[in-house]
Amino acid sequence: MKKSILLLIILAFAKAVTAQTITPPTLGYYLPDNVTYNPEISTPQEVLGYVPGEWHVTHDKLIEYMRTLARESDRISIENRGSTYEGRPLVLLTITSVKNQENLDQIQADHVALTEGSTASTANMPIVVYQGFSIHGNEPSGSNAALLLAYHLAAGQGPEVEQLLDNTIILFDPSFNPDGLQRFAGWVNQHKSKNVNPDSYDREYDEAWPGGRTNHYWFDMNRDWLPVQLPESQARIETFHNWMPNILTDHHEMGTNATFFFQPGIPSRTHPLTPKMNQQLTREIGNYHAAELDKIGSLYYTEESYDDFYYGKGSTFPDINGSIGILFEQASSRGHAQNSDNGVLTFPFTIRNQFTAGISTLKAAAGMRQEILDYQRQFYKDAKKEATSGAIIFGDHTDAGRTDALADILLRHKIEVRSLKNDVTKNGKTYKKDYAYIVPKNQKNSRLINAMFEKRTTFQDSLFYDISAWTFPLAFDMDYDEDASLSDASDKISEKTGIGKITVSDYAYLMPWNEYKTPMILNILLEEGVRAKVAMERFTIEGKSYDYGTILIPVQNQKWDAGEFADRLGDISIHEGIDFHGVQSGLTTGIDLGSRQFRALKQPKIALLIGDGINPYDAGEIWHLLDQRYDITVTKIDLSDINRKDLSRYNTIIVPNTYGSPENEVVDQLKEWTRSGGTLIGYRSALRWMSSSKLLPLQFKKTENPAKDISFEQRSDFYGAQNIGGAIFETKLDRSHPIAFGFKDDQLPMFRNTRLFIEPHKDSFRNPITYTNAPLMSGYISDINLEALKNTVPFQHNNYGRGDVIGFTDNTQFRAFWYGTNKLLMNAIFFAEEM
């Protein structure tokens, strides 16, 4: 009997923990009590079929409601600025008073003029606020709160709302990440129970890989504001620079057991280029957030956990552009409700906090309007005083494609870029016309230029929320000099398109491997059945020198005759901007064109391992590089399914950064496949199990750093300071090795955010990439890790049976903007058999 009673008590307790009666929200739960609403404006539930918070809004329904409001309210205009990779619209609402809507172009022009030296009075000028929501798709409370905030602004009546709209232009971005939001909403909605279950073990709260945080290619888009490589980023950056908003808000979520965070972050972790007044104003705005959250009894904190250092985040990018970026982090229900340290955290509660922060932002903007407008004007006035004469020159005289890609980023940020009117030599570096650009230092965005080009190795703090270095010319492996002359500059450029050249031949064509697009061109040719070879040595023919890695394309024994072949190559040359050099003889100075030192190449058949155990960011960056940049087909195979696949269909398998080791059966399968002639390419932590399984024997260098004189309170900072969050290091190349084909010199900056230190092989020729004895170029690294890194290697290769195993300690396609090392992966794919 006692056992039965005890069992009933246990079952009752378990039910209390896992089953909660959660009342569906009403509109009144969210909206202010002192505001009446225009009945002619549709409420969210009239369009969605439910009150926000009862279900997670899908992106299509979110946009349907935004378009409904734009039709019904003359306070709202709407535009579609493009589309995501999955074809979803990138919608922006402009919300303000009817009077302002009728004069929007002039208001915009007057506002932007403040950043260009205008002395107009700000006394009656509207402030511009960019409100953006849910850049991480599985942090959905922001976009769901956008439904309510848009309704409030469209339908709210009374002096307070009308005065706000008279004095504010609101650039309203309801979903920074449409593809991720759609993916996550589908997941949690399909797993919602009638009896909402807050048990964190429920499948609703355990998303399938890769989760909804990222965009289509699994990028964390909140790191792309400065690199601006993704279509979503490009749309919002264009809006930002066209309007130059005074405040930009970025609504996020964090761990379930937290409360609510608003900026500023940790003071010592603010980038030195950010003016102190920016942080002071952020604190003053924070008083408005605190006041509104106090009204609804929500807990919150500030000046902890987060920082304002990396300018590629949404809350920090505005700070280097005369604006004020504000991060909101709401504890996440990650579904409809979850148990937490603060009780059951419901989805409606998270939405209400985000809605409240949206309201407090607008109240702060209205209350501090003139002060913030004057700050923006002063920011650019001070920047103009700081700006020096002269210019920055950058370029790579062997690679117009990579040079143009860096220029394109600058142009997207409205930075003036000029072409070169003649060849220039600076400090032993050659900058050629059509292969280099000049950036005047004395221009409006001079502080942004400094942020993009600076090299920094000393810091106030040793902890970073994100990377500590992003020097763009180093990321692009680009020669640059900050002491150039404007006298060498020609016209401003608005866009750059190259046109390739071809010299017709009946004998053979040569394609140097230096240009960024050459892997794509080689793949096109191999896919079309064209025979091609790679030069293992340098040579000279018809007065022109050719480097390691030059691609030889014979005319004979191709599927086209000589005339058709020339037409096909000419078409590729024109469209892709690649040169083909026709030669009339095989006799050279160096290796002749018939030499065995020209090795036949085969078309890559690539599989990319994904799924549980694989880092989705790293996998997505590889997928994006191959699919978008190089138009190379890649088959994504889930790690859990690999033992059911016929791997003989592929000659290359890429293993991104892994968490732990795959099952022994998987490792054995990869061994057998490699032994039969495949190329296995592994990244980062995958090297651990690749080494232990003897696929790629490595000797890892260990570091010891005992915690001496460290208090319990200091322990987190002590361990955090040993992380390499992301910095740039100098390596030396052996350019005769196939992994280094296509690089113009023997110095290569590489990105690193791991503590995998690999000892060099005893045979020096097996160490084609080596960190120098003074490797730090930009960013933070602890002294003990810097000492450990010196003279180690980021790359190793091993022959395994008839196959090849290649390992990289770090990401060679980091966040899609690390153009300078992309070719390392392409060389591993195309030339592994020659290593």
Side-chain angles (χ1 to χ4, degrees):
M1 183 65 177
K2 287 182 179 179
K3 289 183 178 179
S4 299
I5 293 173
L6 180 60
L7 180 60
L8 288 171
I9 292 172
I10 291 171
L11 291 173
F13 177 75
K15 185 173 182 179
V17 170
T18 59
Q20 299 282 337
T21 301
I22 296 174
T23 304
T26 64
L27 204 57
Y29 174 69
Y30 303 107
L31 300 178
D33 295 332
N34 59 346
V35 178
T36 58
Y37 291 90
N38 182 349
E40 295 183 3
I41 303 296
S42 296
T43 62
Q45 60 265 38
E46 289 173 334
V47 174
L48 305 177
Y50 58 87
V51 176
E54 185 176 356
W55 295 92
H56 282 245
V57 71
T58 55
H59 185 261
D60 54 336
K61 297 299 288 186
L62 175 68
I63 296 307
E64 180 184 353
Y65 185 61
M66 296 299 145
R67 288 173 172 159
T68 298
L69 291 180
R71 286 194 303 271
E72 295 177 350
S73 173
D74 49 9
R75 297 173 177 177
I76 297 177
S77 54
I78 191 169
E79 60 179 302
N80 180 16
R81 301 166 296 170
S83 60
T84 69
Y85 284 118
E86 294 179 14
R88 293 188 173 85
L90 297 168
V91 164
L92 181 80
L93 284 67
T94 303
I95 306 175
T96 188
S97 66
V98 176
K99 177 184 68 175
N100 288 340
Q101 286 284 358
E102 293 171 350
N103 196 34
L104 208 55
D105 290 343
Q106 187 61 52
I107 291 173
Q108 182 179 10
D110 292 344
H111 180 75
V112 172
L114 283 182
T115 67
E116 297 168 344
S118 168
T119 59
S121 172
T122 57
N124 298 307
M125 184 178 289
I127 190 170
V128 180
V129 179
Y130 193 125
Q131 293 186 293
F133 303 90
S134 298
I135 201 164
H136 297 141
N138 64 357
E139 299 177 5
S141 56
S143 285
N144 282 266
L147 294 162
L148 297 152
L149 188 55
Y151 171 71
H152 172 77
L153 295 170
Q157 296 176 317
E160 184 177 355
V161 174
E162 291 166 7
Q163 185 178 13
L164 169 69
L165 293 172
D166 278 340
N167 289 290
T168 313
I169 307 294
I170 303 163
L171 306 174
F172 198 86
D173 197 332
S175 175
F176 277 145
N177 182 1
D179 295 346
L181 182 73
Q182 188 81 9
R183 188 187 316 138
F184 181 70
W187 177 267
V188 292
N189 285 341
Q190 69 179 293
H191 291 104
K192 180 186 177 185
S193 300
K194 181 185 71 171
N195 297 300
V196 174
N197 186 354
D199 185 349
S200 61
Y201 287 1
D202 191 88
R203 194 163 190 251
E204 179 179 347
Y205 312 110
D206 187 19
E207 298 171 72
W209 193 97
R213 178 180 176 87
T214 54
N215 78 336
H216 175 76
Y217 282 100
W218 310 329
F219 279 81
D220 182 341
M221 292 198 299
N222 196 39
R223 305 299 186 265
D224 193 44
W225 291 75
L226 202 58
V228 65
Q229 294 299 297
L230 307 171
E232 300 92 338
S233 309
Q234 291 165 3
R236 65 175 178 266
I237 291 302
E238 183 175 3
T239 298
F240 185 95
H241 286 298
N242 285 344
W243 267 102
M244 301 304 293
N246 299 99
I247 298 173
L248 184 145
T249 57
D250 191 13
H251 292 252
H252 287 251
E253 292 181 11
M254 54 182 165
T256 301
N257 291 320
T259 57
F260 190 88
F261 169 85
F262 54 83
Q263 282 183 313
I266 298 172
S268 63
R269 301 179 197 169
T270 300
H271 197 288
L273 291 178
T274 298
K276 291 182 179 179
M277 179 57 72
N278 171 285
Q279 295 293 286
Q280 182 177 322
L281 291 171
T282 303
R283 287 185 185 89
E284 292 181 30
I285 293 170
N287 293 333
Y288 286 83
H289 305 320
E292 294 302 311
L293 291 167
D294 285 343
K295 289 179 184 178
I296 61 172
S298 287
L299 297 173
Y300 53 83
Y301 66 98
T302 185
E303 295 192 302
E304 293 181 39
S305 303
Y306 300 94
D307 68 24
D308 281 298
F309 192 83
Y310 172 47
Y311 287 125
K313 296 183 300 180
S315 59
T316 314
F317 172 79
D319 298 342
I320 196 63
N321 287 282
S323 181
I324 299 167
I326 300 176
L327 169 69
F328 296 120
E329 291 276 357
Q330 164 62 47
S332 180
S333 64
R334 280 294 191 275
H336 293 88
Q338 268 201 75
N339 295 317
S340 80
D341 290 348
N342 299 300
V344 176
L345 178 64
T346 68
F347 186 40
F349 179 82
T350 70
I351 295 172
R352 185 173 66 161
N353 278 349
Q354 298 278 27
F355 171 78
T356 300
I359 293 291
S360 62
T361 298
L362 296 175
K363 287 187 175 182
M368 300 170 62
R369 180 185 56 80
Q370 189 167 1
E371 183 181 6
I372 294 174
L373 286 166
D374 288 342
Y375 163 74
Q376 184 180 54
R377 173 158 54 192
Q378 190 64 43
F379 177 96
Y380 284 97
K381 186 177 180 180
D382 292 343
K384 188 173 182 63
K385 290 177 182 177
E386 296 167 2
T388 58
S389 59
I392 300 171
I393 189 171
F394 69 87
D396 182 334
H397 61 80
T398 69
D399 187 354
R402 193 159 32 88
T403 306
D404 290 349
L406 177 52
D408 181 68
I409 293 175
L410 300 176
L411 291 170
R412 288 189 183 280
H413 286 296
K414 308 298 182 183
I415 292 172
E416 181 184 328
V417 180
R418 298 189 185 184
S419 55
L420 213 59
K421 64 183 179 184
N422 47 258
D423 293 353
V424 173
T425 299
K426 292 282 295 181
N427 294 320
K429 302 289 186 180
T430 299
Y431 301 90
K432 291 186 177 180
K433 183 181 178 182
D434 298 328
Y435 288 83
Y437 295 102
I438 283 182
V439 179
K441 290 182 179 179
N442 188 7
Q443 58 173 294
K444 170 181 168 179
N445 287 323
S446 60
R447 285 179 168 173
L448 179 58
I449 294 168
N450 291 340
M452 297 178 76
F453 279 81
E454 74 162 6
K455 291 194 290 186
R456 184 178 296 274
T457 56
T458 58
F459 303 88
Q460 183 181 356
D461 203 314
S462 58
L463 301 181
F464 300 87
Y465 186 75
D466 201 76
I467 59 177
S468 62
W470 52 88
T471 312
F472 275 77
L474 298 184
F476 278 72
D477 185 28
M478 198 70 55
D479 290 337
Y480 75 111
D481 196 296
E482 297 184 80
D483 191 27
S485 172
L486 278 173
S487 63
D488 294 316
S490 186
D491 299 330
K492 298 179 184 178
I493 60 168
S494 56
E495 61 180 30
K496 184 73 173 75
T497 54
I499 298 178
K501 301 183 291 294
I502 181 170
T503 309
V504 175
S505 171
D506 291 335
Y507 188 81
Y509 293 93
L510 298 171
M511 180 178 71
W513 191 244
N514 305 81
E515 279 282 354
Y516 186 79
K517 283 187 175 182
T518 47
M520 179 182 73
I521 305 307
L522 177 59
N523 187 69
I524 290 173
L525 296 174
L526 295 173
E527 194 172 39
E528 293 182 357
V530 173
R531 293 188 304 107
K533 298 183 175 184
V534 60
M536 298 300 292
E537 297 180 19
R538 292 178 287 196
F539 62 95
T540 300
I541 185 172
E542 297 178 0
K544 183 175 175 60
S545 296
Y546 292 88
D547 207 349
Y548 304 104
T550 296
I551 304 301
L552 165 66
I553 309 164
V555 173
Q556 299 301 315
N557 293 328
Q558 303 286 7
K559 66 177 183 179
W560 295 292
D561 63 31
E564 292 172 330
F565 200 33
D567 289 343
R568 178 66 185 117
L569 294 183
D571 183 60
I572 293 173
S573 177
I574 291 171
H575 285 93
E576 304 300 341
I578 296 295
D579 295 343
F580 292 101
H581 304 281
V583 293
Q584 306 304 321
S585 170
L587 189 63
T588 77
T589 301
I591 54 170
D592 294 330
L593 300 191
S595 167
R596 292 181 180 178
Q597 293 306 308
F598 281 94
R599 308 282 177 79
L601 298 171
K602 59 186 179 185
Q603 184 192 357
K605 303 290 185 180
I606 304 172
L608 175 67
L609 298 191
I610 64 166
D612 288 340
I614 301 287
N615 184 308
Y617 300 146
D618 291 40
E621 287 159 0
I622 294 168
W623 177 25
H624 177 269
L625 179 74
L626 295 171
D627 193 40
Q628 287 290 328
R629 296 270 171 78
Y630 289 127
D631 274 337
I632 296 176
T633 300
V634 56
T635 300
K636 302 180 294 299
I637 298 178
D638 198 291
L639 193 61
S640 62
D641 290 337
I642 191 171
N643 58 3
R644 292 188 287 273
K645 307 298 183 186
D646 176 11
L647 298 185
S648 66
R649 296 163 64 170
Y650 312 100
N651 54 32
T652 304
I653 294 178
I654 304 175
V655 187
N657 184 31
T658 59
Y659 304 118
S661 173
E663 298 292 333
N664 290 336
E665 293 81 1
V666 172
V667 176
D668 289 341
Q669 184 183 14
L670 292 173
K671 281 183 167 183
E672 181 181 353
W673 173 84
T674 306
R675 195 180 291 114
S676 299
T679 297
L680 184 68
I681 303 171
Y683 276 96
R684 301 176 66 189
S685 293
L687 272 59
R688 295 281 189 192
W689 60 263
M690 290 170 71
S691 178
S692 63
S693 66
K694 308 303 182 184
L695 276 162
L696 182 64
L698 300 171
Q699 183 179 349
F700 295 99
K701 192 173 185 179
K702 296 180 179 179
T703 60
E704 291 186 7
N705 188 23
K708 295 181 179 179
D709 301 320
I710 302 297
S711 70
F712 183 79
E713 182 182 14
Q714 295 169 329
R715 71 195 188 287
S716 294
D717 288 353
F718 169 76
Y719 288 114
Q722 300 312 309
N723 289 328
I724 304 174
I728 307 171
F729 300 93
E730 180 185 53
T731 65
K732 186 175 181 180
L733 299 179
D734 170 3
R735 294 203 310 109
S736 70
H737 193 286
I739 200 65
F741 284 178
F743 292 92
K744 71 176 177 61
D745 55 46
D746 64 0
Q747 187 216 48
L748 177 65
M750 292 191 70
F751 174 83
R752 165 173 278 265
N753 62 353
T754 69
R755 286 185 288 172
L756 281 175
F757 306 125
I758 297 177
E759 297 281 10
H761 195 280
K762 60 182 177 61
D763 298 328
S764 61
F765 61 83
R766 295 182 182 274
N767 304 312
I769 313 175
T770 307
Y771 287 108
T772 63
N773 195 50
L776 181 60
M777 302 182 80
S778 187
Y780 170 81
I781 184 174
S782 69
D783 291 341
I784 191 169
N785 284 329
L786 180 59
E787 190 62 32
L789 180 65
K790 293 176 181 179
N791 304 310
T792 61
V793 295
F795 161 89
Q796 283 286 272
H797 165 266
N798 183 45
N799 296 113
Y800 192 83
R802 292 191 293 110
D804 298 89
V805 183
I806 289 171
F808 294 99
T809 60
D810 284 277
N811 191 339
T812 56
Q813 42 283 328
F814 182 66
R815 293 181 181 169
F817 82 102
W818 216 267
Y819 276 71
T821 52
N822 287 167
K823 194 157 280 185
L824 292 176
L825 175 57
M826 306 316 297
N827 289 347
I829 290 171
F830 282 101
F831 307 141
E833 291 186 2
E834 321 312 326
M835 295 182 188

